[in-house]
Amino acid sequence: MNRHHWWRDAVIYQVYVRSFLDSTGDGIGDLAGVRAGLPYLRKLGVDGIWLSPFYPSPQHDHGYDVADYRDVDPVFGDLAEFDLLVAAAHRLGIRVLLDIVPNHCSCEHLWFREALAAAPGSPERARFHFADGRGPDGGEPPNNWHAMFGGPAWTRVTEPDGRPGQWYLHMFTPEQPDWNWREPAVAAEFDRTLRFWLDRGVDGFRIDVAAGLFKHPDLPDSPDPEADARTRDSVNPLAWNQPEVHDVWRHWRAVCEEYTARDGRERLLVGEVSVPSAREHAKYVRPDELHQAFFFDLLGAPWDADAFRKVVSEAMQDIAGTGSTVTWVLNNHDQVRTVTRYGEPAEGSGLGAARARAAALLMLALPGAAYIYQGEELGLPEVVDLPDDVLTDPIFRRTGSRARIRDGCRVPLPWSGQASPFGFTSGTESAKPWLPQPEYFAEYATHRALADTRSSWHLYRDGLQLRAALHQLGEGSLRWLETQPGVLAFTRDDLVCAVNFGTAPVPAPVPGTPLLASGPCPPGELPGSTAAWWIDGS
């Protein structure tokens, strides 16, 4: 493995800070809690962590509405605690990535409050997308775009003199106005933000909505105005994936390389890029742009051998061909947990759990980097029965629908004990986590997982240890093997990874004793919904 470019085959663990570990007893995870959990992550064997936003925010979208990009919200700690976290992580050999949100900010950001107080056409309003409404009294939105989280993408403001005024654009919620990246002051402000955190020792950034930032300069009507809201994805070609965005990533890459040149420590840019195809995705990871971008197609693939093979092949052809490596993901804070997505009910262990284990083993065998969402290593299912009165997702607030809401994958982690808060908070047994934990979380607590060598935690830990030790894994290439229908197999040099997508046992593509298997795996046999690694001794 090429360890000079550490990011090319790194395994990064996503820490959703408010749900990881609470050090103060207020029921909300914090930076000190992350620091306390670092030995656990070191034992698991990850190369780095990605921290969800912890900046000052009114929390309309749990920190993705940033009011100040260069500070810490008091609920999570302060800058001194952040510095302690970075230092502790580096002592353990764990790199730290921050989540940066350049497409939009909070309605409470100083610059947006200045824009509301300023006149139409002012420099303050030029930092955002303010426009006059349509119709004789300007009472209709400037165009027909819909927000991804439901409703129109425009909100009308009341001018300082009290009259109805202009409209501003927000592709998510009204509390998240979109920045206007055609205004040079915006780019300069984010340049200062990057350098602020790089100067504090961070190892890079996960970039939220990396295909956003620029909108079509004329803000025309969309031929499919409800596409974003209907798909909950960045599909409006007038609002996303504009060509100018690549200039931003070239500049940010230059900033990172400037810091790398100072001390030899590579800084990483990894983008959340939602685009129509792997070929379009590849444009974001050209040698002078982002180092990597999440490849979501594996996450979205149905449990089917042909579908997985097609996704992996396209990624290897189009993305790895740029000189970057593919960045594989099976889950994150916006998705239904893998166990449930693959068919597992909220309680019990069965088909979905087996498939999730097999998918994890497959992902860790693929060439490139991998990201693990917190709790996936425990086999946590989605919490699907949260009462309406505890839901916090703005999608639910704006649409009234529970479809694809994200609270269920954000329930605080269980660490120990038989009842909530399961060691998540340092408070008493009566302390309440910010989202309620179901009773069955006791079966998934980390203290149980570490003690049970058959647990998903041990599968992940053993897979990560082998991934670090075996020269065949990490970056590189793969070769597909011919198999019977429903079985996917490939080689990494002389190491074989095989996955049976069916339910019945089948002959293994390469007989032998597995180095690692996601379930009971007799030599020469591959049970249903199982993955295994072999060294081919033939």
Side-chain angles (χ1 to χ4, degrees):
M1 288 183 287
N2 184 347
R3 282 297 181 189
H4 175 66
H5 301 296
W6 65 269
W7 48 270
R8 295 182 65 84
D9 55 9
V11 177
I12 307 295
Y13 186 95
Q14 181 190 354
V15 176
Y16 194 72
V17 176
R18 68 187 295 118
S19 295
F20 185 71
L21 187 59
D22 168 27
S23 72
T24 64
D26 65 357
I28 298 174
D30 47 53
L31 295 180
V34 177
R35 182 157 59 96
L38 288 174
Y40 165 81
L41 297 176
R42 176 61 179 166
K43 183 180 293 187
L44 183 62
V46 299
D47 298 300
I49 56 175
W50 146 31
L51 301 174
S52 62
F54 51 77
Y55 316 107
S57 166
Q59 302 294 321
H60 291 293
D61 189 19
H62 286 169
Y64 285 91
D65 50 322
V66 180
D68 184 347
Y69 287 86
R70 298 196 286 273
D71 205 350
V72 176
D73 194 302
V75 76
F76 299 122
D78 54 27
L79 286 170
E81 178 56 51
F82 174 81
D83 292 339
L84 290 173
L85 169 58
V86 173
H90 286 171
R91 283 195 298 271
L92 293 173
I94 296 174
R95 294 174 171 86
V96 179
L97 308 182
L98 300 195
D99 207 323
I100 192 165
V101 189
N103 180 74
H104 49 268
C105 66
S106 166
C107 58
E108 295 187 14
H109 192 284
L110 174 62
W111 279 16
F112 189 70
R113 288 191 279 114
E114 290 176 346
L116 292 178
S122 63
E124 292 82 1
R125 290 203 173 179
R127 299 164 177 165
F128 302 91
H129 294 279
F130 278 85
D132 294 332
R134 297 192 287 196
D137 60 353
E140 299 295 325
N143 67 27
N144 66 353
W145 298 359
H146 280 239
M148 193 177 297
F149 288 176
W154 295 89
T155 290
R156 195 174 194 185
V157 305
T158 300
E159 300 294 353
D161 62 6
R163 292 182 298 176
Q166 289 189 304
W167 299 70
Y168 68 88
L169 180 68
H170 49 84
M171 294 305 299
F172 291 89
T173 73
E175 294 84 10
Q176 295 167 287
D178 280 38
W179 291 106
N180 177 15
W181 274 81
R182 299 185 188 279
E183 169 55 47
V186 172
E189 178 68 0
F190 274 93
D191 194 83
R192 289 187 286 270
T193 294
L194 290 183
R195 294 177 184 278
F196 176 86
W197 294 111
L198 289 168
D199 288 341
R200 300 193 91 92
V202 304
D203 299 282
F205 301 92
R206 177 266 186 187
I207 304 166
D208 189 60
V209 195
L213 282 61
F214 287 85
K215 317 314 182 205
H216 189 288
D218 299 328
L219 300 175
D221 276 345
S222 169
D224 186 1
E226 297 184 6
D228 282 339
R230 183 178 64 251
T231 63
R232 278 272 316 284
D233 206 352
S234 310
V235 295
N236 179 350
L238 304 170
W240 313 106
N241 199 26
Q242 299 295 298
E244 297 92 337
V245 75
H246 296 282
D247 293 331
V248 176
W249 308 139
R250 292 186 183 98
H251 175 70
W252 284 28
R253 178 69 174 258
V255 171
C256 286
E257 293 187 352
E258 174 190 328
Y259 278 79
T260 297
R262 294 180 188 178
D263 58 15
R265 189 162 58 89
E266 284 191 290
R267 275 66 165 191
L268 169 66
L269 297 174
V270 56
E272 180 196 33
V273 175
S274 295
V275 288
S277 66
R279 183 167 298 178
E280 195 69 25
H281 180 112
K283 295 179 181 179
Y284 285 80
V285 293
R286 290 175 287 200
D288 61 344
E289 295 194 38
L290 303 178
H291 298 81
Q292 293 178 320
F294 298 124
F295 188 66
F296 294 119
D297 291 30
L298 189 67
L299 182 159
W303 184 253
D304 176 81
D306 292 338
F308 268 60
R309 178 167 178 160
K310 179 176 185 292
V311 163
V312 172
S313 295
E314 288 179 352
M316 294 300 298
Q317 174 182 326
D318 293 325
I319 298 170
T322 66
S324 180
T325 53
V326 184
T327 305
W328 307 102
V329 292
L330 286 172
N331 214 293
N332 60 40
H333 63 291
D334 288 331
Q335 303 295 330
V336 173
R337 284 200 176 273
T338 312
V339 166
T340 303
R341 200 172 70 243
Y342 285 152
E344 183 64 57
E347 300 185 50
S349 59
L351 186 60
R355 289 173 172 178
R357 289 165 60 93
L361 204 54
L362 179 145
M363 178 180 71
L364 293 176
L366 290 172
Y371 279 64
I372 301 169
Y373 178 50
Q374 68 178 37
E376 290 291 292
E377 79 282 9
L378 301 175
L380 279 180
E382 185 87 353
V383 181
V384 298
D385 55 356
L386 292 168
D388 286 358
D389 61 355
V390 305
L391 296 178
T392 61
D393 195 327
I395 298 170
F396 177 71
R397 186 178 69 248
R398 287 183 60 77
T399 67
S401 170
R402 296 176 64 100
R404 299 176 67 186
I405 58 173
R406 301 164 295 170
D407 290 293
C409 69
R410 301 177 178 184
V411 174
L413 294 184
W415 290 86
S416 61
Q418 298 298 314
S420 182
F422 298 112
F424 165 72
T425 175
S426 61
T428 65
E429 286 294 317
S430 62
K432 292 184 178 181
W434 70 277
L435 279 175
Q437 301 160 304
E439 292 181 3
Y440 61 80
F441 262 31
E443 300 298 318
Y444 299 91
T446 59
H447 82 288
R448 281 176 173 253
L450 270 65
D452 180 2
T453 57
R454 300 166 300 173
S455 70
S456 291
W457 189 91
H458 279 274
L459 178 80
Y460 272 88
R461 196 281 306 271
D462 294 348
L464 290 174
Q465 285 188 341
L466 284 171
R467 183 181 166 99
L470 295 174
H471 70 86
Q472 299 94 327
L473 295 175
E475 67 170 301
S477 60
L478 60 78
R479 180 173 62 85
W480 295 110
L481 297 175
E482 292 300 321
T483 63
Q484 65 188 87
V487 177
L488 186 70
F490 57 86
T491 62
R492 306 289 315 277
D493 194 1
D494 62 346
L495 183 138
V496 179
C497 175
V499 184
N500 179 2
F501 284 77
T503 57
V506 298
V510 178
T513 301
L515 284 170
L516 193 62
S518 62
C521 198
E525 188 174 274
L526 193 64
S529 300
T530 298
W533 295 352
W534 286 273
I535 295 293
D536 181 3
S538 61

